[in-house]
Amino acid sequence: MLDSMRQNAQSWGVKIVFGLIIVVFVFWGVGNFDSDTASVVAYVDDRPILVKEYEKTFEESLRLVHNQNPNVTDKELAEGGFRWQVFSQMLTQTMLAAQAAKLNLSVSDAELRREIARVPAFAGEDGKFDAKRYEELLKVNGLNPAEFETDMRQNLTLEKLGSYLALPAQVTETEARSLYDFSREQAVIEYIPFTSDAFSQGVTPTDEAIKAFYDANGDKFKTPAQIKVDYLDLSPQTLAKPDEITDQDMEAYYKANPKAFERPESVEVRHLLVMLPPDASADEVKAAEKRMAELAERLRKGEDFASLLPKNPTEGDNLMGEDYAWLSRGALPKEFKAFEDAAFSLEKGKVSDPLRTTVGLHVLEIREKRPSGVAPLADVKDEIRGILAEERAADRLAKVMDAVQDKVVAGVELAKAAEEEGLAIGQTPLFSKDMPPANLKIAPQSLETLFALPLGETTQAPLTTEDGFLLAKVVEVKPASVAPLADVKDRIVAELVEKQALATAKEKAEAAATEMKTPEGLAKVLAEYKDKITLSQPFTRQGFIPGLGMAPPLVKVAFEQKTKDWQPQVFAVSDGYVLARPEKRIEPDPAAWNADKDKWMQSLLQSKQSELFRAYLTTIQEQAKIEMVNVDILGPRPGGDAAAAQ
């Protein structure tokens, strides 16, 4: 309750207390499990965690989880160790409260009143604290002011502790700039590719090799068990009856919720883009500008947009395009400010001159412009109709579900029970656990229940889905089996060819690397592969190189090598191997640093604060004496038997 109402709380202490401290103690062990009074769950340094306090916290946590995710069941939470998670949080809060007391940290009545008055949920129509609303809202949630204020005071005290612990954390601009430069610096390599495609021609696996692979890899060719079901999908979406929503209903909703239909200023824009690296030469930029200017002129003369694009966008010229889409003011990152400014400054029907962003050169065309403000009712009628229809359907969902379920339990066929309630059932194709029908959005636990049903049986209780509930009858079962060799032969051939081609590619790359160790050999290899030597697009330290995929060892060399020499080792990439050498490093744009400096400094400060808090928390955890008393009240542990054994 406290977490959900205090949405305005922004202090670092709150984020620490209610975020980072969720530590599941059962994974590092607790004290002895001695029996004692039934009123205590555990002692933390001789401070008791009472059963009634635990149950109260558990119920509040459970209600919050159900509010956020109505489809999750109590059984699913229990099996996931939810009761232990709540207990772990209480352990942490108890220890932190003890530390706060040692430091004489407290919250005065004036501080408490001020913080309660800041909670948005307690504000009246004038935006100010409303005492009557405060009491009513607490009552609805099963709390009284004394309980709430005690909890609030405790959590405000923990906020103070978090802030106190954060005080030593300091960040200099030099530190933040160093982190920024390290993260944003780019590198470029030159490389010779040895791809599997280049060596796959002429590779023909023998029948013996195909059979041997099939026999040795039977698990690869297993077809999992599959079922087909008749189902009744019960959700606000499936039960909604939009035709029942009248114009008067929609108008009333529209008038009551004007903020829901506020729209930002937006334009309908399409654009052509030719990719250019940030460090493109002046000649490259000039050539691209000339080309894009010609395309812009052709657009102005009415040529078809699609005809200007290459038929295969993966081929060499880096030209691509995106057809009309709505763009809202402020929706694009800062790096695309030039694009956004041009889009909103152009008049309807106009085509821009070429403009530069971090990814290349663009040409824009505007089809429609829409000012900011509340959308007209006529434009949002369909949206409102859907909202109201689903709200009404949600109100009657439980009643409909109970009616159908009662019939099914009484022996009525699912299809007949649905028909009597004016509903229609659907039927799935055969599907496995790994690939259930996407439209049903079946929860994992529900899927297990469905596959456990015998042929011809109907679920006796509704199964949960992402949007509602499901009743289903299994109408066909196909047991797991191994596909015949004839059915998978093409797959095996392709895998064997790929394997042999990769082996050959590696062998060729290693032979070339060995030859390049002498000046004469280097000259020979570079001459032999001169038409294949490629300059990469710029990349960062994250490990991904455009055109090559994830290649962390190669990225490491590109950033750490001081020379531009060809490297002696062969590097594995997504489709084969490469020989490579560092070409250059590209420093981050100083202007971009100036724009993002505050964000980076704040991020680094929060990281240091979190590190301080974690270190402090680890220390008090190691020193704490935790004696479990009524462990059974906590149910299954997260991790099951493995966790219990620790």
Side-chain angles (χ1 to χ4, degrees):
M1 174 60 187
L2 184 60
D3 291 343
S4 62
M5 288 194 293
R6 299 183 62 222
Q7 294 177 5
N8 67 314
Q10 295 298 321
S11 74
W12 177 78
V14 173
K15 294 174 183 177
I16 288 296
V17 171
F18 293 107
L20 298 178
I21 66 174
I22 309 302
V23 180
V24 182
F25 286 83
V26 293
F27 293 125
W28 54 264
V30 292
N32 295 329
F33 294 82
D34 297 328
S35 61
D36 195 13
T37 174
S39 65
V40 177
V41 181
Y43 289 96
V44 185
D45 292 329
D46 298 325
R47 287 174 170 239
I49 295 179
L50 301 178
V51 171
K52 66 177 182 179
E53 291 176 351
Y54 170 77
E55 290 296 348
K56 174 175 171 286
T57 303
F58 172 76
E59 290 299 329
E60 290 176 357
S61 301
L62 187 63
R63 182 166 59 248
L64 184 61
V65 168
H66 281 309
N67 287 342
Q68 295 173 342
N69 187 354
N71 291 332
V72 69
T73 66
D74 290 351
K75 182 181 178 183
E76 289 168 338
L77 289 172
E79 290 175 348
F82 182 66
R83 294 187 69 93
W84 275 93
Q85 293 169 23
V86 173
F87 172 67
S88 297
Q89 184 172 353
M90 292 185 71
L91 281 178
T92 305
Q93 290 177 333
T94 301
M95 288 189 293
L96 290 174
Q99 296 299 311
K102 287 181 181 179
L103 296 170
N104 293 318
L105 295 176
S106 61
V107 174
S108 68
D109 291 344
E111 289 177 295
L112 179 62
R113 285 195 298 270
R114 184 174 62 248
E115 290 301 317
I116 290 176
R118 291 176 56 199
V119 176
F122 301 147
E125 293 183 359
D126 59 357
K128 298 179 180 179
F129 176 76
D130 185 327
K132 184 177 180 181
R133 179 174 176 80
Y134 169 63
E135 293 180 3
E136 290 176 347
L137 192 55
L138 291 182
K139 185 177 180 180
V140 167
N141 285 275
L143 296 172
N144 60 52
E147 291 174 327
F148 177 77
E149 289 161 18
T150 298
D151 288 344
M152 186 91 164
R153 192 187 297 273
Q154 178 185 8
N155 285 295
L156 288 172
T157 303
L158 295 186
E159 279 186 39
K160 280 192 175 183
L161 176 62
S163 299
Y164 178 84
L165 296 173
L167 287 176
Q170 300 291 329
V171 172
T172 66
E173 183 174 333
T174 301
E175 287 179 293
R177 180 61 187 270
S178 176
L179 178 63
Y180 174 86
D181 288 345
F182 183 84
S183 301
R184 293 293 180 88
E185 184 184 21
Q186 295 179 301
V188 174
I189 60 169
E190 193 172 57
Y191 63 91
I192 303 172
F194 294 81
T195 62
S196 58
D197 288 347
F199 301 101
S200 60
Q201 298 297 321
V203 178
T204 306
T206 64
D207 290 340
E208 291 77 11
I210 294 170
K211 181 65 166 61
F213 187 91
Y214 177 79
D215 292 339
N217 296 274
D219 287 346
K220 282 190 175 185
F221 310 116
K222 277 186 176 179
T223 300
Q226 296 178 303
I227 61 173
K228 179 189 292 187
V229 300
D230 287 344
Y231 65 89
L232 179 61
D233 185 6
L234 296 170
S235 69
Q237 293 82 1
T238 59
L239 295 180
K241 297 181 178 180
D243 292 344
E244 293 181 353
I245 307 301
T246 67
D247 288 343
Q248 290 80 4
D249 294 332
M250 289 183 282
E251 184 175 357
Y253 186 90
Y254 178 79
K255 289 180 178 179
N257 299 276
K259 289 188 175 296
F261 305 107
E262 288 181 354
R263 300 290 186 263
E265 181 185 4
S266 49
V267 294
E268 195 176 18
V269 59
R270 66 180 176 184
H271 71 110
L272 296 168
L273 165 66
V274 63
M275 302 287 286
L276 277 178
D279 62 334
S281 68
D283 288 343
E284 289 175 311
V285 174
K286 186 176 180 180
E289 286 176 340
K290 180 181 178 182
R291 181 182 182 199
M292 294 300 279
E294 292 172 351
L295 291 174
E297 190 58 32
R298 290 168 65 181
L299 271 178
R300 292 185 185 109
K301 291 180 179 179
E303 285 198 41
D304 180 63
F305 180 80
S307 69
L308 302 179
L309 298 172
K311 292 182 179 179
N312 187 347
T314 62
E315 292 179 356
D317 61 8
N318 287 333
L319 177 66
M320 59 188 70
E322 182 179 18
D323 212 340
Y324 286 117
W326 283 99
L327 171 67
S328 298
R329 174 79 77 175
L332 295 180
K334 293 178 181 178
E335 292 84 353
F336 294 92
K337 185 176 185 300
F339 184 103
E340 187 171 301
D341 288 347
F344 282 92
S345 63
L346 279 172
E347 295 179 12
K348 179 179 175 180
K350 296 297 183 180
V351 176
S352 75
D353 293 327
L355 62 99
R356 185 80 182 269
T357 70
T358 55
V359 297
L361 282 171
H362 306 257
V363 166
L364 286 64
E365 182 177 12
I366 305 301
R367 179 161 68 180
E368 190 61 74
K369 308 190 81 170
R370 190 164 60 194
S372 61
V374 178
L377 174 59
D379 291 353
V380 294
K381 269 193 169 184
D382 289 342
E383 180 182 347
I384 297 174
R385 192 189 305 276
I387 292 171
L388 292 176
E390 288 187 15
E391 285 183 357
R392 293 184 184 181
D395 291 340
R396 62 189 184 92
L397 174 58
K399 182 178 179 181
V400 172
M401 183 172 63
D402 288 345
V404 176
Q405 186 181 355
D406 288 346
K407 289 181 171 66
V408 170
V409 171
V412 179
E413 282 292 318
L414 178 60
K416 180 65 174 174
E419 181 183 359
E420 290 176 357
E421 294 298 321
L423 305 171
I425 64 168
Q427 187 178 86
T428 69
L430 282 166
F431 65 91
S432 64
K433 282 185 187 178
D434 295 333
M435 296 188 67
N439 63 302
L440 295 187
K441 303 178 183 178
I442 305 175
Q445 190 63 38
S446 298
L447 200 60
E448 292 291 338
T449 302
L450 206 53
F451 270 80
L453 279 178
L455 178 64
E457 289 292 317
T458 301
T459 51
Q460 295 296 298
L463 305 178
T464 56
T465 68
E466 290 182 19
D467 300 325
F469 302 92
L470 190 80
L471 290 169
K473 176 183 178 181
V474 177
V475 295
E476 185 177 344
V477 175
K478 185 176 180 182
S481 62
V482 177
L485 174 58
D487 292 350
V488 295
K489 183 176 180 180
D490 290 345
R491 282 173 53 193
I492 295 174
V493 168
E495 191 163 343
L496 290 174
V497 168
E498 174 73 7
K499 186 177 180 180
Q500 181 58 53
L502 277 173
T504 303
K506 184 178 183 181
E507 181 183 328
K508 293 287 187 182
E510 289 174 340
T514 300
E515 195 167 7
M516 292 172 78
K517 291 179 179 179
T518 66
E520 298 81 7
L522 174 61
K524 180 181 177 182
V525 170
L526 294 181
E528 180 180 353
Y529 292 99
K530 65 179 180 179
D531 294 335
K532 292 189 176 181
I533 297 176
T534 304
L535 194 67
S536 77
Q537 293 289 320
F539 55 88
T540 66
R541 286 181 169 85
Q542 292 181 341
F544 180 82
I545 303 177
L548 297 179
M550 292 300 296
L554 178 52
V555 170
K556 187 173 187 289
V557 166
F559 280 98
E560 294 182 357
Q561 281 296 319
K562 304 299 183 184
T563 70
K564 295 184 177 182
D565 297 333
W566 287 91
Q567 297 302 297
Q569 68 266 50
V570 171
F571 298 95
V573 294
S574 61
D575 59 351
Y577 299 87
V578 299
L579 301 176
R581 70 172 188 85
E583 169 58 26
K584 62 180 176 180
R585 305 257 289 274
I586 304 170
E587 297 295 327
D589 180 5
W593 159 250
N594 290 331
D596 292 342
K597 178 174 65 175
D598 292 344
K599 180 179 70 176
W600 279 81
M601 291 188 68
Q602 182 63 26
S603 176
L604 182 56
L605 177 62
Q606 290 178 348
S607 177
K608 285 190 173 185
Q609 290 170 336
S610 299
E611 188 176 341
L612 280 172
F613 188 88
R614 282 194 294 268
Y616 181 80
L617 186 57
T618 298
T619 299
I620 64 174
Q621 287 173 350
E622 291 173 347
Q623 296 173 350
K625 176 188 174 184
I626 302 172
E627 182 183 359
M628 299 300 299
V629 178
N630 285 302
V631 67
D632 291 343
I633 200 172
L634 303 179
R637 298 190 186 202
D641 294 339
Q646 293 187 10

